Amino acid sequence: MASKGDLTKARLAASMLELIQTSGYSGTGLNAVTEHAAAPKGSIYFHFPDGKEGLGVAAVDLAATQFETLILEAAASAGSAAEAARAAIEALTTIVGDSDFRLGCPVSVVTLEMGAESERLRQACASAFESWIAPTAALLEANGVDAAGARSLATVVVSTIEGAVIVSRAMRSTAPLVSAADVVADLIDQRCQTVGGTR
């Protein structure tokens, strides 16, 4: 069972994650995080001695885990790689739309804001993207795509999804994500058919 301290640390990371999505990394102050998490004011530096940067890394790691879980669940329930990709994108589309386009991908937000300012945050973001590319590539390999081709296509898929989330938020429309789901699913289907994989 998690200790009270562990629960507070997890709440702080979750609050930082949510606030990054709505206010950006630079726009998220530590006081706002403690207030959102209903945590004591001194708790951030107790759990994250390096302050905001450490908390930001924890938030990015949490986002990475959440989306990786979404990918793995989609892969487990879908009949093909194309269906899995579509299911994952549809889940993201629901999140973005239901939040009135306030929520998107916090990893892309941190990358754009802090990638050139903090090597530690850049590395956390790179690891997050890798944690999504790797299981996507594994799924493609399981559908008959060679390792190099699977890695390349998985990178394109994740990059397409990230871009579609940003464009959807800018346009306040889920259409870019819907289009991305169609194009990504067709692309995966074509690649799997070419190598003799299953639909």
Side-chain angles (χ1 to χ4, degrees):
M1 185 175 179
S3 68
K4 183 178 179 181
D6 288 340
L7 292 173
T8 299
K9 185 175 183 179
R11 267 202 334 275
L12 288 168
S15 290
M16 181 68 170
L17 174 58
E18 185 172 337
L19 291 171
I20 285 173
Q21 291 183 91
T22 57
S23 303
Y25 179 86
S26 300
T28 298
L30 295 184
N31 287 337
V33 176
T34 53
E35 182 177 344
H36 188 276
K41 286 194 174 181
S43 58
I44 286 183
Y45 287 101
F46 178 79
H47 293 291
F48 301 96
D50 45 357
K52 186 175 180 179
E53 185 179 54
L55 185 56
V57 169
V60 168
D61 289 346
L62 177 58
T65 300
Q66 290 176 348
F67 190 48
E68 183 181 7
T69 298
L70 188 155
I71 293 171
L72 294 174
E73 288 177 348
S77 62
S80 70
E83 290 173 4
R86 185 182 290 280
I89 298 172
E90 286 176 350
L92 278 175
T93 302
T94 299
I95 291 170
V96 172
D98 287 355
S99 71
D100 194 30
F101 303 95
R102 288 172 59 82
L103 300 183
C105 177
V107 179
S108 62
V109 171
V110 175
T111 300
L112 293 170
E113 285 191 36
M114 300 301 297
E117 304 295 329
S118 166
E119 179 61 14
R120 188 178 176 199
L121 285 169
R122 186 201 64 74
Q123 289 181 350
C125 292
S127 295
F129 288 128
E130 176 59 30
S131 75
W132 305 338
I133 291 169
T136 304
L139 180 60
L140 291 167
E141 283 193 64
N143 278 258
V145 182
D146 66 278
R151 171 75 189 187
S152 178
L153 182 53
T155 302
V156 169
V157 168
V158 171
S159 300
T160 299
I161 294 170
E162 285 296 304
V165 169
I166 293 171
V167 178
S168 285
R169 292 185 71 188
M171 293 184 169
R172 295 186 59 80
S173 167
T174 57
L177 276 162
V178 172
S179 296
D182 291 338
V183 171
V184 164
D186 286 347
L187 183 60
I188 292 173
D189 255 344
Q190 289 170 18
R191 182 65 62 88
C192 290
Q193 286 177 348
T194 298
V195 297
T198 57
R199 275 184 78 92

